[in-house]
Amino acid sequence: MALFQKTHLSIEKLHTLIDTVDSIVIGKKDVTRLTIVAMLAGGHILFEDIPGVGKTLLIRTIAKCLDADFARIQFTPDLIPSDIIGFSVPNAEGTAFNFRKGPIFNQLLLADEINRTSPRTQAAMLEAMSEKQVTLDGETHTLPEPFFVLATQNPIEYKGTYPLPEAQLDRFLFQLSLGYPDTEQEVQMLAAPDQQKAVEILQPVMTLDEFLTLKEAAAQVYVDDSLLQYIVSLALLTRNHPAIRLGISPRGNQFALASARAHALLAGRDYVVPQDILDILKPLYRHRLLFETHHSKEEIDAFIDQLTRELVIPKQSRHKR
């Protein structure tokens, strides 16, 4: 395909971007890679993580490497939808209203502690994420392209929070966690130059146009019918399992397909292999599976591993075009 012939250099730049982020957010290359996969797939990420592990640094560094607009919203109980979306103000003559854009009109957005604001504000935010547009006073305003949200919630301080309902959790492509660095990584962090200054002096690694071309190419990655059946069969296992109250939705399957395609593209292929699906399954399933009893992240990941062992992985050879 002509489109893929043009993307080889851009894919190399994307790997340079991942290496650049890893030099600043040390030891979290796998998380960075999955973040890029989500961006290529056109989805958003929910980070359930403790404070101070580098979530803001991660997305700021990616924004800098892409020369993209970046904003951070600190969610609080008194935040209202217009604080995020924007509002109309009268013009100087008082004859009409002008729309003043809110921080959601940035290409990369950090929605910090999204579970600390009211359900009304959460719903307005997530609706904009899903529709990629905002409607105010009968006028529709399109969000920028690319538009990517990295939302966070603190897993240890639930007092005074508003947990996201399952239907809203389903709007996030992946759930990820940076977690603590290991001892060696933390020593490297202390020995490294100031991370904030390092981000400030970064030069863009690739242009937004190059990234958007890759995003377009990801949507055209070939997927064999046997792999489509595999994605659906995995979801059916979750829907019929006695330990699960809520399994994977059709939208979850659509996200699985989009992220497997993006994962394949990042690997330099224009076709999906079974490993692409397996590599994105845990971050895709974690926040979508609702169990009858409480399960830790480790228990959920082990359950997903067990699911994959119940199905025969399709034999996949390179497709013929």
Side-chain angles (χ1 to χ4, degrees):
M1 293 177 64
L3 183 58
F4 286 95
Q5 292 173 356
K6 299 190 301 182
T7 60
H8 178 72
L9 183 59
S10 295
I11 292 172
E12 287 185 359
K13 290 182 180 180
L14 210 48
H15 284 282
T16 301
L17 185 154
I18 292 170
D19 290 340
T20 301
V21 175
D22 186 56
S23 70
I24 294 175
V25 186
I26 294 169
K28 304 299 177 184
K29 199 168 189 174
D30 288 344
V31 176
T32 303
R33 187 179 293 111
L34 285 170
T35 301
I36 296 300
V37 166
M39 292 176 66
L40 288 172
H44 309 283
I45 292 179
L46 178 66
F47 267 79
E48 188 164 285
D49 231 331
I50 54 176
V53 292
K55 299 180 291 292
T56 303
L57 189 65
L58 172 72
I59 192 169
R60 277 191 64 226
T61 307
I62 293 173
K64 193 79 174 180
C65 288
L66 290 173
D67 197 22
D69 297 329
F70 167 75
R72 176 180 176 272
I73 304 173
Q74 180 63 55
F75 281 77
T76 55
D78 59 347
L79 205 69
I80 59 176
S82 61
D83 293 331
I84 299 168
I85 293 168
F87 48 89
S88 296
V89 293
N91 62 16
E93 294 78 23
T95 56
F97 285 85
N98 297 324
F99 178 61
R100 183 168 294 174
K101 294 180 178 180
I104 202 171
F105 285 89
N106 280 274
Q107 290 157 329
L108 273 70
L109 181 68
L110 175 64
D112 212 2
E113 296 191 287
I114 194 172
N115 58 332
R116 292 206 176 276
T117 196
S118 70
R120 179 184 173 209
T121 304
Q122 289 176 356
M125 173 78 184
L126 291 164
E127 182 180 3
M129 287 165 50
S130 178
E131 301 297 329
K132 303 292 179 72
Q133 63 184 27
V134 167
T135 301
L136 189 70
D137 298 332
E139 188 176 352
T140 299
H141 306 272
T142 304
L143 293 173
E145 179 66 24
F147 175 64
F148 175 69
V149 174
L150 191 155
T152 76
Q153 55 183 15
N154 188 332
I156 58 172
E157 293 180 355
Y158 284 112
K159 187 175 181 180
T161 63
Y162 303 88
L164 293 173
E166 283 71 24
Q168 293 185 358
L169 283 172
D170 195 43
R171 295 179 186 271
F172 289 96
L173 181 69
F174 289 156
Q175 184 187 67
L176 297 174
S177 172
L178 284 169
Y180 288 118
D182 62 31
T183 302
E184 183 180 346
Q185 291 165 353
E186 197 156 9
V187 170
Q188 282 183 268
M189 289 170 57
L190 293 177
D194 182 89
Q195 292 169 306
Q196 302 298 335
K197 288 182 180 177
V199 174
E200 291 302 321
I201 63 173
L202 275 181
Q203 296 299 311
V205 172
M206 64 191 302
T207 67
L208 278 174
D209 284 343
E210 288 175 308
F211 183 83
L212 291 174
T213 298
L214 286 175
K215 188 179 174 190
E216 181 185 350
Q220 299 181 37
V221 168
Y222 173 81
V223 186
D224 190 78
D225 287 347
S226 64
L227 295 181
L228 297 177
Q229 181 63 52
Y230 184 59
I231 290 171
V232 173
S233 296
L234 283 169
L236 288 175
L237 285 179
T238 70
R239 296 173 194 171
N240 299 320
H241 200 285
I244 297 177
R245 281 199 289 144
L246 183 67
I248 300 302
S249 68
R251 177 164 51 196
N253 283 341
Q254 291 171 342
F255 279 157
L257 176 59
S259 51
R261 280 176 159 153
H263 192 277
L265 182 76
L266 190 58
R269 284 180 275 103
D270 64 351
Y271 60 96
V272 171
V273 299
Q275 194 61 46
D276 293 316
I277 298 170
L278 295 172
D279 285 347
I280 57 88
L281 210 59
K282 288 177 183 176
L284 187 92
Y285 273 21
R286 279 181 196 132
H287 58 300
R288 290 185 166 86
L289 296 177
L290 183 61
F291 291 84
E292 293 289 354
T293 58
H294 175 73
H295 283 59
S296 67
K297 173 180 172 290
E298 292 73 22
E299 288 171 333
I300 294 172
D301 285 355
F303 180 88
I304 296 168
D305 283 335
Q306 180 60 40
L307 279 181
T308 61
R309 288 193 286 269
E310 292 183 24
L311 287 179
V312 176
I313 298 174
K315 300 284 185 186
Q316 176 71 28
S317 59
R318 183 173 180 138
H319 68 285
K320 295 180 181 179
R321 289 195 177 275

